[in-house]
Amino acid sequence: MKITYRPEIDGLRSLAVGAVIFYHAQIIILDHQFLRGGFLGVDIFFVISGYLISSIILRELFQKKSFSFKSFYEKRIRRILPALLFVMLITFPLAWLYLLPSDFIKFSKSILYSLGFSSNFYFYFTGLQYGESDGLVKPFLHTWSLSVEEQFYILFPFFLIFIFIYLRKFLLHVLIICFFMSLGFAEWTGVKNPSLNFFILPSRIWELLAGTILAYLEITIGRRSKKLSENSIYTFAGIFLIFFSFYFFNEEVSHPSFFTLFPVIGTCLIIWYSSSNEFITKILSSKIFVKIGLISYSLYLWHYPIFALARVNEFTQGSIIRKLLLGLLVLLISFISYYFVEKPLRDKKVKFSSILIGLLIAMMLLITSSFYIIYKNGKVNNYNIIVEKTILSPKFESECKFSTEDQNFLNDKFFIDRFSKCKKKFKKFILILGDSHSVDIFNSFSKISNEKKFIIGLNKGGCRPTDNINKCHYSNALKFIEKNSTEIEYIFFTHKGSYFLTNTGQKKHRGNSKYRKLPLDEKQIEETIKYLIEIKKLKNELIFIGPHLEPNIKLNRTSLTKILKFGDVKDNTNYDLIEVDEKLKKISKENNINYVSKIETIGFNIKNDFLINNNITYSDTDHWSEFGEIYFGKKLIKNSIVKNIIY
């Protein structure tokens, strides 16, 4: 059954997609990100989708007493797949041109999972944290929300029809119970596993069900009050809740959770109380809002890969003007995509069988290309192979020098068997513990040390002692140290020193020197020292290495060309790290912890130490390349007490 067209809902869509685009554009004004809660635009989409899809299903059930799965899924296919596949086909050659081999593999996998309506699981299981800087260069990260919606479209009709047939009297009660169960699950999972909570349908379905409940009430009891004053008050409250969320929420707020009720309730108020003669509805129904709302799906599809590939090439680095120009490009391409791909293929005059053939051909082309890229390890562009080889820093691996990032390594049979075998052979071993920067140390010491050294790395990227124990490995590391203390020769600990600097931005910006300002973050220092004291209780032979060094030069295809061809290296070093170093040195001495300063032992000078005989010593803004691990490692070992341990 056809639903009465409501232009204000397209207006809501334009608000939602605009917020998402501004959020991903990361426009910074006076150290403040514009629309820092713009990611909540996706939640508005979920409510709208739940309302519209449920309206379609329920109207058929109430009025026809039947439901056409064929018609329903045909409309969903026409709506979703043509535009999505078109974006993928256009983006693929651009990815070939600009992405380094390792990133091209991840890109190809994300294509495959997106085609299988499961990219949300892919991004979760690859350990991605939404909003973190590494996610901003993944062209199809945004398809996680499409996968959530597609999973809903596949499963929900069966659920709703089953309840309608067998529990019709209690349909509203079931929907409300499921709503609160999902919301409670989201609140609980947000504490236990925030990343899982963000990406999965069970944590999101309450937002979709909010729309379903509105659709049910509208069909059964009629929609909204007819009083202009009442409608105006509630729609204004709705728009206030939405914009309040956009401006004052950030990644620090648990999401989805009870807090997400703000934009969800705001959206529900507008859907329920909007009427043609009240102010908010008139604005949302205006031509510009409706036009943007109509192309919102194309806008959502195009904006992320365009921004991601621009970031890879540093096109928008530090330039609001370029970001705005890129936004205009996104708008133009989205209009073309909508009027020449999306809209025509939704027209019933175009045979569905013809559309299916075209979609299958496009999917086969994408699937074949993606598997080929994975088979070739992403190595299909010779220049990108050279670039990645220049900065590549793979984790070192030999029989008895190995590392794991699995926080549950104590239950990993492969790790336990390998450790037991090497312990029998060497008796004593060196343990290197920490975050991704401890991988630099593990690789350096493993390559430089003599063959008789047995070295184990417990190194999980992004982990600090203050982080959730369910995410990181530090709790299990203490158990491992306690059990094997007599066999441990020395323990080396290091992690990213810039986390000790006070952050003026959001959590995701902690790794970016632009957002860090003194004074030091005393809590981070105290927690780190507290953890090191726990280690010392178990094993006295402990050395704390810190802080990391930070040339702060973003390496990519474009910047590497300039550096290798012209030696174009600018001094962007964050000298606040010197104060971090002094503080760590002092507090380590007070707690009788051996401290080795990278700044003192390596004496980093960006003009002299970044490019050595055309070899770049860094793999990114602050991690060592394969060449750098040897170059800096030798300096650190030679100029400290480490020399007597490693050689």
Side-chain angles (χ1 to χ4, degrees):
M1 296 266 83
K2 198 166 183 179
I3 302 171
T4 303
Y5 175 64
R6 297 180 58 187
E8 72 273 15
I9 289 183
D10 273 324
L12 264 178
R13 283 192 176 118
S14 69
L15 281 184
V17 77
V20 171
I21 291 172
F22 273 110
Y23 170 73
H24 288 146
Q26 292 198 309
I27 294 176
I28 310 297
I29 301 172
L30 298 175
D31 282 342
H32 182 84
Q33 183 177 346
F34 182 65
L35 292 184
R36 60 181 181 173
F39 56 88
L40 293 164
V42 172
D43 304 85
I44 294 173
F45 277 125
F46 284 154
V47 178
I48 293 171
S49 293
Y51 169 73
L52 294 175
I53 293 303
S54 300
S55 294
I56 292 169
I57 299 171
L58 289 171
R59 285 183 191 279
E60 283 205 33
L61 290 174
F62 275 104
Q63 296 175 17
K64 283 188 170 183
K65 310 299 181 185
S66 64
F67 178 74
S68 172
F69 283 98
K70 179 178 178 297
S71 174
F72 178 80
Y73 288 117
E74 178 183 326
K75 287 177 181 176
R76 302 286 73 73
I77 290 170
R78 284 176 180 267
R79 166 75 172 158
I80 296 169
L81 288 183
L84 176 62
L85 296 183
F86 179 60
V87 173
M88 288 179 172
L89 288 169
I90 299 299
T91 306
F92 214 105
L94 295 173
W96 170 83
L97 184 63
Y98 293 114
L99 295 184
L100 300 182
S102 58
D103 291 324
F104 202 9
I105 292 172
K106 295 170 186 174
F107 170 85
S108 300
K109 288 181 178 179
S110 70
I111 291 277
L112 292 172
Y113 279 91
S114 296
L115 292 175
F117 309 148
S118 57
S119 64
N120 55 330
F121 293 111
Y122 169 71
F123 291 119
Y124 167 69
F125 284 113
T126 53
L128 193 70
Q129 301 290 317
Y130 187 83
E132 296 288 342
S133 56
D134 59 340
L136 294 173
V137 292
K138 298 190 183 319
F140 283 100
L141 172 60
H142 65 322
T143 61
W144 73 268
S145 64
L146 297 183
S147 292
V148 169
E149 284 205 28
E150 287 153 356
Q151 291 157 19
F152 175 76
Y153 296 156
I154 291 168
L155 300 172
F156 187 66
F158 294 96
F159 168 79
L160 193 57
I161 291 167
F162 177 85
I163 301 300
F164 185 85
I165 293 172
Y166 296 104
L167 295 168
R168 184 171 174 178
K169 289 183 179 179
F170 304 101
L171 178 54
L172 181 60
H173 301 81
V174 172
L175 292 175
I176 292 172
I177 289 168
C178 290
F179 173 92
F180 283 109
M181 285 177 64
S182 173
L183 177 57
F185 176 80
E187 181 69 23
W188 180 79
T189 312
V191 174
K192 297 294 182 181
N193 193 332
S195 181
L196 178 68
N197 185 51
F198 184 90
F199 282 114
I200 61 171
L201 178 61
S203 296
R204 297 285 183 171
I205 201 166
W206 68 273
E207 299 172 324
L208 292 146
L209 287 177
T212 302
I213 292 168
L214 289 180
Y216 176 85
L217 292 173
E218 181 178 286
I219 292 168
T220 56
I221 66 172
R223 181 162 60 89
R224 305 179 304 285
S225 164
K226 293 182 179 179
K227 295 179 181 178
L228 177 60
S229 58
E230 189 174 330
N231 290 338
S232 298
I233 290 169
Y234 283 116
T235 53
F236 180 81
I239 209 76
F240 173 80
L241 288 173
I242 288 172
F243 276 97
F244 175 84
S245 304
F246 288 166
Y247 277 95
F248 294 104
F249 279 40
N250 56 40
E251 291 86 353
E252 298 292 321
V253 176
S254 179
H255 173 69
S257 68
F258 292 149
F259 290 109
T260 317
L261 283 166
F262 281 88
V264 169
I265 291 174
T267 306
C268 289
L269 287 173
I270 292 173
I271 292 174
W272 189 256
Y273 285 100
S274 61
S275 61
S276 58
N277 58 350
E278 63 83 24
F279 182 67
I280 298 298
T281 304
K282 285 180 180 179
I283 293 175
L284 293 175
S285 302
S286 61
K287 284 187 178 180
I288 187 167
F289 276 93
V290 170
K291 282 284 185 186
I292 293 173
L294 288 171
I295 66 165
S296 60
Y297 180 56
S298 286
L299 277 169
Y300 186 77
L301 288 178
W302 278 109
H303 86 280
Y304 208 90
I306 289 174
F307 278 124
L309 292 170
R311 284 190 186 96
V312 167
N313 289 283
E314 292 188 307
F315 176 77
T316 57
Q317 185 75 15
S319 173
I320 293 178
I321 299 298
R322 287 188 177 185
K323 288 179 180 180
L324 293 175
L325 288 173
L326 210 60
L328 291 175
L329 176 64
V330 170
L331 194 63
L332 175 63
I333 293 175
S334 298
F335 268 111
I336 294 170
S337 179
Y338 174 75
Y339 284 106
F340 290 96
V341 178
E342 192 179 342
K343 188 178 179 181
L345 295 182
R346 286 161 61 181
D347 192 335
K348 288 185 179 180
K349 292 178 182 178
V350 181
K351 287 185 178 179
F352 185 57
S353 57
S354 301
I355 293 174
L356 273 181
I357 292 170
L359 293 176
L360 288 171
I361 292 171
M363 289 179 74
M364 287 306 299
L365 182 60
L366 287 166
I367 290 168
T368 303
S369 301
S370 297
F371 274 116
Y372 177 74
I373 299 305
I374 294 168
Y375 171 73
K376 296 289 288 184
N377 289 319
K379 297 178 180 179
V380 292
N381 182 318
N382 288 333
Y383 184 75
N384 287 344
I385 294 170
I386 294 169
V387 168
E388 184 163 81
K389 190 176 180 181
T390 303
I391 61 172
L392 190 66
S393 180
K395 196 175 284 187
F396 184 84
E397 185 82 11
S398 71
E399 183 185 7
C400 290
K401 293 177 182 178
F402 55 88
S403 168
T404 180
E405 60 177 18
D406 182 3
Q407 67 263 35
N408 297 314
F409 64 93
L410 291 176
N411 299 317
D412 183 355
K413 188 176 184 302
F414 180 75
F415 176 87
I416 294 168
D417 290 346
R418 194 172 182 183
F419 171 66
S420 300
K421 180 181 176 182
C422 291
K423 194 165 68 167
K424 287 179 183 177
K425 182 177 179 180
F426 288 99
K427 309 299 181 188
K428 295 276 187 178
F429 69 94
I430 291 169
L431 178 64
I432 298 172
L433 176 63
D435 63 359
S436 60
H437 290 272
S438 69
V439 176
D440 289 348
I441 300 297
F442 169 79
N443 282 355
S444 286
F445 290 3
S446 296
K447 292 170 184 176
I448 296 170
S449 61
N450 65 50
E451 295 178 2
K452 295 180 181 179
K453 291 293 180 180
F454 171 23
I455 301 177
I456 288 178
L458 302 179
N459 325 110
K460 185 167 176 60
C463 278
R464 330 293 165 202
T466 52
D467 287 337
N468 191 306
I469 59 171
N470 293 315
K471 174 190 171 188
C472 293
H473 56 308
Y474 291 116
S475 179
N476 283 333
L478 289 175
K479 295 174 186 175
F480 180 75
I481 293 166
E482 183 176 18
K483 185 177 179 181
N484 301 282
S485 61
T486 55
E487 289 84 15
I488 296 174
E489 186 178 348
Y490 256 94
I491 299 170
F492 293 96
F493 175 88
T494 191
H495 72 66
K496 189 168 185 171
S498 63
Y499 276 67
F500 295 133
L501 298 177
T502 297
N503 195 288
T504 57
Q506 301 169 48
K507 185 177 181 181
K508 66 178 181 176
H509 292 136
R510 280 183 176 174
N512 189 332
S513 62
K514 182 179 177 182
Y515 296 92
R516 294 197 308 266
K517 292 181 180 179
L518 295 169
L520 302 179
D521 185 341
E522 295 291 341
K523 182 184 176 184
Q524 287 279 350
I525 296 176
E526 288 168 8
E527 290 296 324
T528 297
I529 294 298
K530 190 188 298 182
Y531 183 74
L532 294 176
I533 290 170
E534 288 296 308
I535 292 176
K536 273 187 70 69
K537 290 177 183 176
L538 303 173
K539 183 69 183 180
N540 191 56
E541 287 73 19
L542 168 68
I543 294 177
F544 179 20
I545 300 175
H548 74 295
L549 299 172
E550 188 174 273
N552 213 20
I553 296 174
K554 191 170 184 178
L555 296 178
N556 56 39
R557 195 178 189 275
T558 304
S559 62
L560 277 170
T561 301
K562 292 179 183 177
I563 292 167
L564 294 173
K565 283 187 177 181
F566 309 110
D568 185 14
V569 180
K570 295 178 181 177
D571 193 345
N572 296 314
T573 314
N574 189 321
Y575 294 104
D576 287 345
L577 290 169
I578 294 173
E579 187 156 342
V580 172
D581 188 47
E582 291 299 320
K583 177 70 174 182
L584 296 182
K585 191 188 305 179
K586 179 183 176 183
I587 200 168
S588 294
K589 186 176 181 180
E590 290 172 355
N591 289 278
N592 198 29
I593 295 170
N594 288 318
Y595 180 72
V596 171
S597 165
K598 285 184 185 176
I599 291 174
E600 288 186 355
T601 56
I602 294 173
F604 183 78
N605 181 304
I606 194 166
K607 295 292 184 185
N608 300 327
D609 290 337
F610 187 81
L611 189 63
I612 309 294
N613 298 325
N614 225 37
N615 292 299
I616 291 174
T617 54
Y618 275 75
S619 62
D620 57 21
T621 57
D622 53 12
H623 294 89
W624 296 341
S625 67
E626 193 166 18
F627 178 86
E629 287 164 354
I630 301 295
Y631 178 76
F632 292 130
K634 284 182 177 178
K635 283 188 171 187
L636 189 150
I637 292 169
K638 179 183 176 182
N639 298 321
S640 72
I641 58 173
V642 180
K643 182 177 182 179
N644 300 322
I645 301 166
I646 294 299
Y647 288 147

Short mmCIF file of all heavy atoms in Angstrom, two decimals, residues 99-101 376-392:
data_model
loop_
_atom_site.label_atom_id
_atom_site.label_comp_id
_atom_site.label_asym_id
_atom_site.label_seq_id
_atom_site.Cartn_x
_atom_site.Cartn_y
_atom_site.Cartn_z
N LEU A 99 45.75 3.78 -3.03
CA LEU A 99 45.95 3.02 -1.79
C LEU A 99 47.20 2.14 -1.86
O LEU A 99 47.45 1.49 -2.88
CB LEU A 99 44.73 2.15 -1.49
CG LEU A 99 43.42 2.88 -1.17
CD1 LEU A 99 42.33 1.87 -0.81
CD2 LEU A 99 43.59 3.89 -0.04
N LEU A 100 47.93 2.11 -0.77
CA LEU A 100 49.09 1.22 -0.67
C LEU A 100 48.59 -0.22 -0.57
O LEU A 100 47.45 -0.47 -0.18
CB LEU A 100 49.92 1.59 0.55
CG LEU A 100 50.49 3.01 0.57
CD1 LEU A 100 51.33 3.22 1.81
CD2 LEU A 100 51.31 3.31 -0.68
N PRO A 101 49.43 -1.20 -0.94
CA PRO A 101 48.98 -2.60 -1.00
C PRO A 101 48.23 -3.10 0.22
O PRO A 101 47.17 -3.72 0.10
CB PRO A 101 50.29 -3.36 -1.21
CG PRO A 101 51.13 -2.41 -2.00
CD PRO A 101 50.81 -1.05 -1.44
N LYS A 376 46.71 -11.22 -4.77
CA LYS A 376 47.98 -10.56 -5.11
C LYS A 376 48.54 -9.75 -3.94
O LYS A 376 49.52 -9.02 -4.10
CB LYS A 376 47.77 -9.62 -6.30
CG LYS A 376 47.37 -10.32 -7.59
CD LYS A 376 48.49 -11.12 -8.21
CE LYS A 376 49.54 -10.23 -8.82
NZ LYS A 376 50.60 -10.99 -9.52
N ASN A 377 47.95 -9.91 -2.75
CA ASN A 377 48.38 -9.16 -1.57
C ASN A 377 48.38 -7.65 -1.80
O ASN A 377 49.20 -6.92 -1.23
CB ASN A 377 49.78 -9.60 -1.12
CG ASN A 377 49.78 -10.99 -0.52
OD1 ASN A 377 48.87 -11.33 0.24
ND2 ASN A 377 50.75 -11.80 -0.87
N GLY A 378 47.45 -7.20 -2.62
CA GLY A 378 47.31 -5.77 -2.88
C GLY A 378 48.37 -5.20 -3.80
O GLY A 378 48.35 -4.01 -4.12
N LYS A 379 49.29 -6.03 -4.26
CA LYS A 379 50.44 -5.55 -5.05
C LYS A 379 50.12 -5.55 -6.54
O LYS A 379 50.55 -6.44 -7.28
CB LYS A 379 51.66 -6.41 -4.74
CG LYS A 379 52.09 -6.31 -3.28
CD LYS A 379 53.28 -7.20 -2.97
CE LYS A 379 53.68 -7.06 -1.50
NZ LYS A 379 54.83 -7.93 -1.16
N VAL A 380 49.39 -4.52 -6.96
CA VAL A 380 49.01 -4.43 -8.37
C VAL A 380 49.40 -3.08 -8.98
O VAL A 380 49.24 -2.88 -10.18
CB VAL A 380 47.49 -4.64 -8.53
CG1 VAL A 380 47.10 -6.07 -8.22
CG2 VAL A 380 46.69 -3.67 -7.67
N ASN A 381 49.90 -2.17 -8.15
CA ASN A 381 50.36 -0.88 -8.63
C ASN A 381 51.83 -0.74 -8.25
O ASN A 381 52.17 -0.64 -7.06
CB ASN A 381 49.52 0.24 -7.99
CG ASN A 381 49.92 1.62 -8.47
OD1 ASN A 381 51.10 1.94 -8.61
ND2 ASN A 381 48.92 2.47 -8.72
N ASN A 382 52.70 -0.77 -9.25
CA ASN A 382 54.14 -0.83 -8.98
C ASN A 382 54.65 0.32 -8.13
O ASN A 382 55.48 0.13 -7.25
CB ASN A 382 54.92 -0.87 -10.31
CG ASN A 382 54.76 -2.20 -11.02
OD1 ASN A 382 54.52 -3.23 -10.37
ND2 ASN A 382 54.86 -2.20 -12.34
N TYR A 383 54.14 1.53 -8.38
CA TYR A 383 54.62 2.66 -7.60
C TYR A 383 54.21 2.53 -6.14
O TYR A 383 55.01 2.80 -5.23
CB TYR A 383 54.10 3.98 -8.17
CG TYR A 383 54.67 5.17 -7.44
CD1 TYR A 383 55.99 5.59 -7.65
CD2 TYR A 383 53.91 5.86 -6.50
CE1 TYR A 383 56.52 6.66 -6.97
CE2 TYR A 383 54.45 6.94 -5.81
CZ TYR A 383 55.74 7.33 -6.05
OH TYR A 383 56.28 8.39 -5.36
N ASN A 384 52.98 2.10 -5.91
CA ASN A 384 52.52 1.93 -4.53
C ASN A 384 53.28 0.82 -3.81
O ASN A 384 53.46 0.88 -2.59
CB ASN A 384 51.02 1.65 -4.51
CG ASN A 384 50.20 2.88 -4.84
OD1 ASN A 384 50.71 4.00 -4.79
ND2 ASN A 384 48.94 2.69 -5.19
N ILE A 385 53.70 -0.19 -4.56
CA ILE A 385 54.53 -1.27 -3.97
C ILE A 385 55.85 -0.69 -3.48
O ILE A 385 56.31 -0.99 -2.37
CB ILE A 385 54.77 -2.39 -5.01
CG1 ILE A 385 53.46 -3.09 -5.36
CG2 ILE A 385 55.78 -3.40 -4.47
CD1 ILE A 385 53.57 -4.04 -6.53
N ILE A 386 56.45 0.17 -4.30
CA ILE A 386 57.73 0.80 -3.93
C ILE A 386 57.55 1.69 -2.70
O ILE A 386 58.35 1.67 -1.76
CB ILE A 386 58.28 1.62 -5.11
CG1 ILE A 386 58.66 0.69 -6.27
CG2 ILE A 386 59.49 2.45 -4.68
CD1 ILE A 386 58.96 1.40 -7.56
N VAL A 387 56.47 2.47 -2.71
CA VAL A 387 56.19 3.38 -1.59
C VAL A 387 56.02 2.60 -0.29
O VAL A 387 56.61 2.94 0.74
CB VAL A 387 54.93 4.23 -1.88
CG1 VAL A 387 54.48 4.95 -0.61
CG2 VAL A 387 55.20 5.23 -2.98
N GLU A 388 55.19 1.55 -0.34
CA GLU A 388 54.95 0.78 0.89
C GLU A 388 56.22 0.08 1.36
O GLU A 388 56.47 -0.01 2.57
CB GLU A 388 53.83 -0.23 0.68
CG GLU A 388 53.48 -0.97 1.96
CD GLU A 388 52.14 -1.65 1.92
OE1 GLU A 388 52.06 -2.75 1.35
OE2 GLU A 388 51.17 -1.09 2.46
N LYS A 389 57.01 -0.41 0.42
CA LYS A 389 58.26 -1.09 0.80
C LYS A 389 59.19 -0.11 1.52
O LYS A 389 59.94 -0.49 2.42
CB LYS A 389 58.94 -1.67 -0.43
CG LYS A 389 60.11 -2.58 -0.10
CD LYS A 389 60.69 -3.21 -1.35
CE LYS A 389 61.85 -4.13 -0.98
NZ LYS A 389 62.46 -4.74 -2.18
N THR A 390 59.13 1.14 1.13
CA THR A 390 59.97 2.17 1.74
C THR A 390 59.63 2.36 3.22
O THR A 390 60.51 2.59 4.05
CB THR A 390 59.80 3.51 1.00
OG1 THR A 390 60.10 3.33 -0.38
CG2 THR A 390 60.70 4.58 1.58
N ILE A 391 58.35 2.27 3.54
CA ILE A 391 57.92 2.55 4.91
C ILE A 391 57.41 1.32 5.66
O ILE A 391 57.02 1.42 6.82
CB ILE A 391 56.80 3.63 4.92
CG1 ILE A 391 55.58 3.15 4.14
CG2 ILE A 391 57.31 4.94 4.35
CD1 ILE A 391 54.38 4.06 4.25
N LEU A 392 57.41 0.16 5.00
CA LEU A 392 56.85 -1.04 5.61
C LEU A 392 57.62 -1.44 6.87
O LEU A 392 58.83 -1.35 6.92
CB LEU A 392 56.88 -2.20 4.60
CG LEU A 392 56.12 -3.46 4.99
CD1 LEU A 392 54.63 -3.18 5.06
CD2 LEU A 392 56.39 -4.57 3.98
#
